[in-house]
Amino acid sequence: MSDSIRTRRDRTHWLYLAVIVAVVAGVLVGWLAPSVGQSFAPLGTIFVNLIKMMIAPVIFCTIVLGIGSVRAAATVGKVGGLAIGYFLVMSTVALGIGVVVGNLLQPGTGLNIASTVKAGQDLAKTAHNAGGTWDFIQGIVPSTLLSSLTTGNVLQALFVALLVGFAVQAMGSSGEPILRGVAAIQKLVFRILVMVLWLAPVGAFGAIANVVGRTGLDAVVKLATLMAAFYLTCLVFVFGVLGVLLWSVSRVSIFKLVRYLAREFLLILATSSSESALPRLIAKMDHMGVDRTTVGVVVPTGYSFNLDGTAIYLTMASIFIADAMGKPLALGEQIGLLVFMVIASKGAAGVTGAGLATLAGGLQSHRPELLDGVGLIVGIDRFMSEARALTNFSGNAVATVLIGTWTKTIDVDRVRDVLDRKVPFDERTMVDDEHATAPQPADAKDLVRA
């Protein structure tokens, strides 16, 4: 690597140090001058919207290049089927962990929350307006081909990209000019994304200053037990469950993977949105050695279906509210309510406040007398949403590696070199010209350990 490239890459370290400084400054401003802190809210919103603007183009380019470059369409179907099955299993595991921890700690027992009456009504209406299962399925198909790239709907972008990718694949050699054009567009998209990310400190400052200005530090102190229990549970799930599974299947260290994605975690922590790191996750998984087709299918699908952190949150928050109101849930009620919530959360994925809205909607449909208790969670939901987003993001990163291993679409040597920092990620372009796709399954015996 040339000195100029290394210098430019090192310059990005200052960007993420600036994000940390901005977060600290935001906390101080929101605490010492709440009204001023709230006035900075648009800064955080604008930054997250800038990132959202790039998600659909990134997904479209990644999927088209991935599918258009493989020979067998069955490969894509195999990846998608494994991904959905894995997501369902891990959501169930996350639910189980949340139930166990929530019942053991019972952080809501003894609290008096009578003052929060009617606080959850608006949130329940938000969840109801999200629609049911058929509305969710219907919403996957866009009204026009190009609207999928402009509405911000991740699943619509994925659906259209799959159609275009298969069409290019069916064209054979005549489709190669299209692939070259899409590859050029991908480079442009990532260049724009790199430019947008330099605004991360500004967005982080606005988001943190606003939430601290609105809730104050008292909300964090009063509900510290619930927050600590939730964060601890997420850590156990990521490093215990996901970490063990990742090592057992792929022989990849969860600690090295987390280190590799450290900047993405910081970005999520600052913005409280996993959307802010989604394009970078796609780029980094491709750089790490996972086939573009696998990355393009697993990451966007996991964004809507692999919500491990949300499952844990819904579990613990429901138990907390029921205990705090003196109306604890029986084990059967917990399971029925939480299964409903996790299914409902799939349709609300990517919507701001989706976790809180799903919680309110589930309580209203199963135990309406508990709906008033949602008001107690509102004050700290912004802080808990960070752990939700971090856990969801970790789950999707691990899922990409696991499914790449199972489908033999991952370059093990490349993974090892990248995680050992021998092949650094190019922060300037976020695109690897020399590593477009992994070899096809026919060469799998050389790629994946038995």
Side-chain angles (χ1 to χ4, degrees):
M1 179 177 296
S2 66
D3 292 338
S4 61
I5 292 178
R6 183 173 297 279
T7 301
R8 285 193 175 187
R9 195 183 74 249
D10 290 342
R11 193 179 302 166
T12 64
H13 292 293
W14 296 106
L15 167 63
Y16 292 94
L17 289 175
V19 171
I20 297 176
V21 173
V23 169
V24 174
V27 171
L28 292 176
V29 171
W31 176 35
L32 299 176
S35 59
V36 176
Q38 294 178 43
S39 67
F40 286 117
L43 294 179
T45 302
I46 290 172
F47 175 72
V48 173
N49 286 341
L50 284 171
I51 296 293
K52 288 181 179 179
M53 175 182 73
M54 307 306 301
I55 290 177
V58 168
I59 291 174
F60 179 82
C61 293
T62 303
I63 287 283
V64 173
L65 288 175
I67 295 179
S69 301
V70 300
R71 291 189 297 271
T75 302
V76 180
K78 183 179 180 181
V79 169
L82 273 174
I84 295 297
Y86 171 81
F87 296 155
L88 291 175
V89 171
M90 293 314 296
S91 293
T92 303
V93 173
L95 274 176
I97 292 176
V99 168
V100 171
V101 175
N103 282 288
L104 286 177
L105 297 182
Q106 298 182 339
T109 302
L111 290 179
N112 178 15
I113 59 174
S115 60
T116 62
V117 174
K118 296 182 180 180
Q121 298 293 333
D122 293 339
L123 291 166
K125 293 178 181 178
T126 300
H128 177 74
N129 291 336
T133 302
W134 282 113
D135 292 318
F136 170 62
I137 295 175
Q138 181 179 341
I140 295 177
V141 181
S143 56
T144 67
L145 191 67
L146 295 180
S147 67
S148 62
L149 301 178
T150 60
T151 59
N153 188 308
V154 173
L155 290 182
Q156 286 187 2
L158 174 61
F159 176 75
V160 170
L162 287 171
L163 293 179
V164 175
F166 283 125
V168 172
Q169 183 188 72
M171 292 172 66
S173 59
S174 61
E176 291 180 1
I178 299 177
L179 289 179
R180 288 195 293 270
V182 173
I185 294 175
Q186 184 191 48
K187 291 182 180 180
L188 172 64
V189 168
F190 277 122
R191 282 286 187 175
I192 296 174
L193 182 61
V194 170
M195 295 165 58
V196 169
L197 287 174
W198 280 100
L199 297 176
V202 178
F205 172 79
I208 296 297
N210 173 54
V211 70
V212 175
R214 288 182 179 276
T215 64
L217 297 181
D218 289 342
V220 182
V221 175
K222 290 178 181 178
L223 299 173
T225 302
L226 175 61
M227 291 180 60
F230 179 58
Y231 272 77
L232 180 61
T233 304
C234 290
L235 287 173
V236 170
F237 179 79
V238 171
F239 291 98
V241 178
L242 294 180
V244 171
L245 183 61
L246 182 63
W247 178 258
S248 301
V249 175
S250 305
R251 287 295 186 266
V252 173
S253 169
I254 186 67
F255 298 100
K256 289 184 178 181
L257 183 62
V258 168
R259 182 183 65 185
Y260 175 61
L261 298 173
R263 293 185 174 186
E264 288 67 44
F265 284 119
L266 178 59
L267 195 60
I268 292 171
L269 190 64
T271 62
S272 190
S273 171
S274 58
E275 292 176 326
S276 61
L278 178 62
R280 286 183 61 90
L281 177 61
I282 291 176
K284 280 202 164 183
M285 289 293 100
D286 176 38
H287 169 76
M288 195 172 75
V290 184
D291 180 70
R292 272 186 182 164
T293 304
T294 302
V295 174
V297 172
V298 175
V299 174
T301 305
Y303 176 76
S304 293
F305 289 92
N306 191 31
L307 306 174
D308 300 328
T310 302
I312 296 173
Y313 164 80
L314 293 173
T315 304
M316 298 186 67
S318 300
I319 295 174
F320 174 82
I321 290 173
D323 290 343
M325 297 189 70
K327 302 174 182 178
L329 296 165
L331 183 59
E333 290 179 313
Q334 291 178 20
I335 295 175
L337 172 62
L338 297 170
V339 168
F340 167 82
M341 286 184 176
V342 169
I343 294 174
S345 68
K346 309 299 186 188
V351 179
T352 302
L356 198 59
T358 302
L359 174 64
L363 290 176
Q364 184 183 52
S365 63
H366 284 69
R367 289 286 296 272
E369 71 274 16
L370 298 179
L371 182 60
D372 296 336
V374 175
L376 187 65
I377 303 293
V378 172
I380 62 167
D381 179 74
R382 175 58 168 75
F383 298 96
M384 296 179 72
S385 68
E386 293 174 344
R388 287 201 305 268
L390 290 170
T391 305
N392 291 340
F393 181 83
S394 301
N396 287 327
V398 171
T400 305
V401 177
L402 291 176
I403 293 171
T405 302
W406 287 325
T407 57
K408 301 181 179 180
T409 54
I410 186 172
D411 188 334
V412 175
D413 293 332
R414 172 84 177 192
V415 171
R416 186 184 302 110
D417 289 343
V418 169
L419 294 184
D420 288 340
R421 298 179 173 179
K422 296 179 181 178
V423 184
F425 180 72
D426 191 346
E427 295 286 352
R428 298 176 308 147
T429 63
M430 297 173 60
V431 178
D432 288 324
D433 289 327
E434 76 282 2
H435 186 70
T437 55
Q440 295 301 305
D443 303 319
K445 61 182 180 181
D446 297 323
L447 299 177
V448 181
R449 291 189 180 93

